mmCIF file of all heavy atoms in Angstrom:
data_model
loop_
_atom_site.group_PDB
_atom_site.id
_atom_site.type_symbol
_atom_site.label_atom_id
_atom_site.label_comp_id
_atom_site.label_asym_id
_atom_site.label_seq_id
_atom_site.Cartn_x
_atom_site.Cartn_y
_atom_site.Cartn_z
ATOM 1 N N PRO A 117 -39.869 -55.930 0.363
ATOM 2 C CA PRO A 117 -40.279 -56.975 1.156
ATOM 3 C C PRO A 117 -39.176 -58.037 1.606
ATOM 4 O O PRO A 117 -39.505 -58.967 2.257
ATOM 5 C CB PRO A 117 -41.279 -57.790 0.219
ATOM 6 C CG PRO A 117 -40.789 -57.497 -1.183
ATOM 7 C CD PRO A 117 -40.256 -56.215 -1.122
ATOM 8 N N LYS A 118 -37.886 -57.768 1.174
ATOM 9 C CA LYS A 118 -36.858 -58.799 1.348
ATOM 10 C C LYS A 118 -35.688 -58.146 2.024
ATOM 11 O O LYS A 118 -35.523 -56.900 2.118
ATOM 12 C CB LYS A 118 -36.577 -59.416 0.096
ATOM 13 C CG LYS A 118 -37.608 -60.404 -0.313
ATOM 14 C CD LYS A 118 -37.899 -61.548 0.533
ATOM 15 C CE LYS A 118 -39.063 -62.419 0.169
ATOM 16 N NZ LYS A 118 -39.201 -63.507 1.153
ATOM 17 N N SER A 119 -34.674 -58.977 2.375
ATOM 18 C CA SER A 119 -33.582 -58.534 3.156
ATOM 19 C C SER A 119 -32.310 -58.293 2.317
ATOM 20 O O SER A 119 -31.246 -57.901 2.987
ATOM 21 C CB SER A 119 -33.226 -59.704 4.206
ATOM 22 O OG SER A 119 -34.377 -59.786 5.057
ATOM 23 N N LEU A 120 -32.336 -58.518 1.034
ATOM 24 C CA LEU A 120 -31.315 -58.058 0.093
ATOM 25 C C LEU A 120 -32.003 -57.932 -1.209
ATOM 26 O O LEU A 120 -33.062 -58.299 -1.413
ATOM 27 C CB LEU A 120 -30.099 -58.993 0.115
ATOM 28 C CG LEU A 120 -30.190 -60.199 -0.744
ATOM 29 C CD1 LEU A 120 -28.832 -60.837 -0.941
ATOM 30 C CD2 LEU A 120 -31.064 -61.277 -0.213
ATOM 31 N N CYS A 121 -31.204 -57.354 -2.173
ATOM 32 C CA CYS A 121 -31.641 -57.250 -3.627
ATOM 33 C C CYS A 121 -30.798 -58.297 -4.340
ATOM 34 O O CYS A 121 -29.687 -58.440 -4.178
ATOM 35 C CB CYS A 121 -31.427 -55.822 -4.125
ATOM 36 S SG CYS A 121 -32.238 -54.584 -3.266
ATOM 37 N N THR A 122 -31.558 -59.046 -5.311
ATOM 38 C CA THR A 122 -30.940 -59.963 -6.165
ATOM 39 C C THR A 122 -31.211 -59.560 -7.562
ATOM 40 O O THR A 122 -32.390 -59.604 -8.033
ATOM 41 C CB THR A 122 -31.372 -61.335 -5.925
ATOM 42 O OG1 THR A 122 -32.870 -61.401 -5.868
ATOM 43 C CG2 THR A 122 -30.829 -61.910 -4.544
ATOM 44 N N SER A 123 -30.252 -59.023 -8.271
ATOM 45 C CA SER A 123 -30.459 -58.506 -9.619
ATOM 46 C C SER A 123 -29.610 -59.353 -10.599
ATOM 47 O O SER A 123 -28.402 -59.376 -10.673
ATOM 48 C CB SER A 123 -29.980 -57.081 -9.749
ATOM 49 O OG SER A 123 -30.732 -56.321 -8.754
ATOM 50 N N LEU A 124 -30.364 -60.051 -11.515
ATOM 51 C CA LEU A 124 -29.828 -60.996 -12.467
ATOM 52 C C LEU A 124 -29.789 -60.487 -13.788
ATOM 53 O O LEU A 124 -30.824 -59.856 -14.276
ATOM 54 C CB LEU A 124 -30.647 -62.305 -12.425
ATOM 55 C CG LEU A 124 -30.413 -63.404 -11.456
ATOM 56 C CD1 LEU A 124 -30.569 -62.859 -9.962
ATOM 57 C CD2 LEU A 124 -31.317 -64.628 -11.613
ATOM 58 N N ASN A 125 -28.629 -60.627 -14.597
ATOM 59 C CA ASN A 125 -28.548 -60.451 -16.004
ATOM 60 C C ASN A 125 -28.921 -59.061 -16.386
ATOM 61 O O ASN A 125 -28.195 -58.087 -16.229
ATOM 62 C CB ASN A 125 -29.399 -61.557 -16.726
ATOM 63 C CG ASN A 125 -28.912 -62.864 -16.375
ATOM 64 O OD1 ASN A 125 -27.715 -63.129 -15.942
ATOM 65 N ND2 ASN A 125 -29.733 -63.971 -16.605
ATOM 66 N N GLU A 126 -30.189 -58.953 -17.021
ATOM 67 C CA GLU A 126 -30.610 -57.583 -17.436
ATOM 68 C C GLU A 126 -31.171 -56.715 -16.424
ATOM 69 O O GLU A 126 -31.553 -55.512 -16.648
ATOM 70 C CB GLU A 126 -31.659 -57.662 -18.499
ATOM 71 C CG GLU A 126 -33.042 -58.290 -18.121
ATOM 72 C CD GLU A 126 -33.127 -59.801 -18.220
ATOM 73 O OE1 GLU A 126 -32.067 -60.413 -18.275
ATOM 74 O OE2 GLU A 126 -34.235 -60.237 -18.349
ATOM 75 N N VAL A 127 -31.259 -57.123 -15.035
ATOM 76 C CA VAL A 127 -31.730 -56.314 -14.010
ATOM 77 C C VAL A 127 -30.618 -55.453 -13.514
ATOM 78 O O VAL A 127 -29.600 -55.963 -13.050
ATOM 79 C CB VAL A 127 -32.280 -57.192 -12.870
ATOM 80 C CG1 VAL A 127 -32.806 -56.353 -11.693
ATOM 81 C CG2 VAL A 127 -33.424 -58.049 -13.387
ATOM 82 N N ILE A 128 -30.841 -54.100 -13.585
ATOM 83 C CA ILE A 128 -29.828 -53.154 -13.130
ATOM 84 C C ILE A 128 -29.672 -53.124 -11.610
ATOM 85 O O ILE A 128 -28.558 -53.132 -11.104
ATOM 86 C CB ILE A 128 -30.237 -51.718 -13.596
ATOM 87 C CG1 ILE A 128 -30.157 -51.667 -15.145
ATOM 88 C CG2 ILE A 128 -29.172 -50.726 -13.097
ATOM 89 C CD1 ILE A 128 -30.792 -50.383 -15.732
ATOM 90 N N CYS A 129 -30.819 -53.121 -10.941
ATOM 91 C CA CYS A 129 -30.784 -52.987 -9.484
ATOM 92 C C CYS A 129 -32.196 -53.312 -8.935
ATOM 93 O O CYS A 129 -33.157 -53.240 -9.730
ATOM 94 C CB CYS A 129 -30.205 -51.628 -9.022
ATOM 95 S SG CYS A 129 -31.218 -50.255 -9.671
ATOM 96 N N HIS A 130 -32.223 -53.514 -7.583
ATOM 97 C CA HIS A 130 -33.439 -53.605 -6.863
ATOM 98 C C HIS A 130 -34.328 -54.816 -7.160
ATOM 99 O O HIS A 130 -35.565 -54.758 -6.941
ATOM 100 C CB HIS A 130 -34.276 -52.269 -6.859
ATOM 101 C CG HIS A 130 -33.537 -51.083 -6.576
ATOM 102 N ND1 HIS A 130 -33.900 -49.826 -6.977
ATOM 103 C CD2 HIS A 130 -32.418 -50.911 -5.798
ATOM 104 C CE1 HIS A 130 -33.023 -48.940 -6.496
ATOM 105 N NE2 HIS A 130 -32.076 -49.583 -5.760
ATOM 106 N N GLY A 131 -33.725 -55.860 -7.818
ATOM 107 C CA GLY A 131 -34.427 -57.092 -7.922
ATOM 108 C C GLY A 131 -34.864 -57.683 -6.599
ATOM 109 O O GLY A 131 -34.252 -57.682 -5.645
ATOM 110 N N ILE A 132 -36.216 -58.202 -6.568
ATOM 111 C CA ILE A 132 -36.735 -58.738 -5.373
ATOM 112 C C ILE A 132 -36.406 -60.171 -5.339
ATOM 113 O O ILE A 132 -36.891 -60.920 -6.277
ATOM 114 C CB ILE A 132 -38.201 -58.491 -5.273
ATOM 115 C CG1 ILE A 132 -38.523 -57.026 -5.298
ATOM 116 C CG2 ILE A 132 -38.832 -59.179 -3.985
ATOM 117 C CD1 ILE A 132 -40.011 -56.572 -5.409
ATOM 118 N N PRO A 133 -35.807 -60.819 -4.280
ATOM 119 C CA PRO A 133 -35.710 -62.278 -4.231
ATOM 120 C C PRO A 133 -37.011 -62.885 -4.229
ATOM 121 O O PRO A 133 -37.972 -62.523 -3.508
ATOM 122 C CB PRO A 133 -34.991 -62.400 -2.908
ATOM 123 C CG PRO A 133 -34.319 -61.081 -2.596
ATOM 124 C CD PRO A 133 -35.170 -60.098 -3.171
#
Side-chain angles (χ1 to χ4, degrees):
K118 290 293 172 181
S119 299
L120 82 166
C121 300
T122 50
S123 301
L124 279 56
N125 302 337
E126 69 268 23
V127 179
I128 295 171
C129 58
H130 304 158
I132 301 174

